[in-house]
Amino acid sequence: MKRSVLSRLHTNGIYYITGTLLLVIGVPLYQGLVLLPQGYSVALASAEGGAFAPYLFWIGNHLGAFLGYRALSIAAFAALFSLPFTLFRIIVAQEILGGGDIELVAEEPDEDDHPQQEDSLESSEVTGEPRETDTEEASSTLSWRGKGFAVLAAWTGMLAIMLYFLGTLASTLYLWIVSSGFTEHTAPPGGFSTISGTATIVTYTIGGGLLAMACLFFGAMIVRSGLKLWPGIWVAFGYTALAVAAFLSISAVAVASAPIEGKAALTTPAILLFALWALWFGVMLVRLKPEP
């Protein structure tokens, strides 16, 4: 592996570790130390119950704390933006390296081996057993199909993280505007629940569904090749991606059916599970070493 490529992977790994630590440690710690002592849990519970006035009143009176909380989430997703394509490049490179040795052997055989190859071809025609060339062609076809799934996973993953980033940013700006000058006796603006619900669905249902699809395809690509191509820790990483995909899918469906209640119940555990998976990936990138 070239040192320039390795250095870039190390840098990306540091970004992913930073972003995931913000989600796993930074956001919960900020909630516990800053938001909860100021009554955030009570305001959030009222919003989950359909009473938005106390929630908006709390945001208006604690705007700095609220913006700091949302800024941590936005920064975390920004740090993870390139993760899907980094994983895509690693998967494709591993597939090419795995197939490259086979192609090299097939293209540069020894002359002394030609009679044996002819005998094997003749025997395969008699016995009906598959020939080596057929196996190689099938392997190439599977690799090409797998690359297509990897491309789809990379684009859906990038779009999902973009939706998380933009959805959180748009929701924060909207709440900032609506809560400005909001008093305890002010009624929420018309359509507030609709706009908030739409933003939640776009962020956590569409974004979460796309992220689940990306994790599913990435995990399937790694698990498909298994230990024949990947180290054991990467195979475990692939199986974990499948579990993350399942949990994100359940969360996306729950939010679609109940944007407020579903978000409160399942989105936080789903995002934390994805963050831990991304943290694992970042650590593996940082620990990559150049080839001797």
Side-chain angles (χ1 to χ4, degrees), residues 48-279:
E48 293 171 359
F52 298 107
Y55 181 59
L56 293 174
F57 179 69
W58 184 92
I59 293 175
N61 289 333
H62 305 85
L63 184 60
F66 176 75
L67 292 179
Y69 165 65
R70 289 298 184 95
L72 289 176
S73 299
I74 293 171
F77 286 116
L80 298 175
F81 185 74
S82 64
L83 186 149
F85 272 95
T86 300
L87 183 53
F88 161 76
R89 293 186 182 98
I90 290 178
I91 290 176
V92 172
Q94 192 73 0
E95 290 283 344
I96 291 175
L97 289 176
D101 295 336
I102 297 175
E103 292 178 359
L104 182 61
V105 174
E107 291 176 359
E108 298 181 2
D110 294 336
E111 294 181 358
D112 296 339
D113 293 339
H114 285 178
Q116 296 178 359
Q117 291 179 356
E118 293 176 358
D119 294 339
S120 63
L121 292 176
E122 292 176 357
S123 62
S124 64
E125 292 176 357
V126 175
T127 60
E129 295 179 355
R131 297 179 297 180
E132 293 181 0
T133 54
D134 294 336
T135 304
E136 292 173 3
E137 291 175 358
S139 177
S140 300
T141 302
L142 287 175
S143 297
W144 178 254
R145 291 176 181 174
K147 184 178 179 181
F149 282 115
V151 171
L152 183 60
W155 281 106
T156 54
M158 186 185 70
L159 181 58
I161 294 176
M162 185 184 299
L163 286 177
Y164 273 104
F165 175 84
L166 295 178
T168 304
L169 179 61
S171 174
T172 302
L173 293 176
Y174 178 68
L175 290 174
W176 183 1
I177 295 172
V178 172
S179 63
S180 297
F182 198 89
T183 64
E184 191 174 3
H185 303 288
T186 304
F192 176 81
S193 60
T194 302
I195 295 175
S196 298
T198 301
T200 301
I201 290 175
V202 169
T203 304
Y204 297 103
T205 296
I206 301 178
L210 290 175
L211 193 59
M213 186 182 300
C215 292
L216 175 64
F217 287 152
F218 279 138
M221 279 291 300
I222 296 174
V223 170
R224 178 181 67 87
S225 301
L227 294 174
K228 295 183 295 183
L229 194 62
W230 297 91
I233 190 171
W234 280 90
V235 175
F237 177 75
Y239 279 109
T240 305
L242 300 180
V244 173
F247 210 89
L248 286 170
S249 299
I250 296 173
S251 173
V253 173
V255 172
S257 59
I260 303 299
E261 295 81 0
K263 175 186 175 183
L266 293 174
T267 54
T268 299
I271 292 175
L272 287 178
L273 184 59
F274 167 75
L276 291 174
W277 179 74
L279 175 62

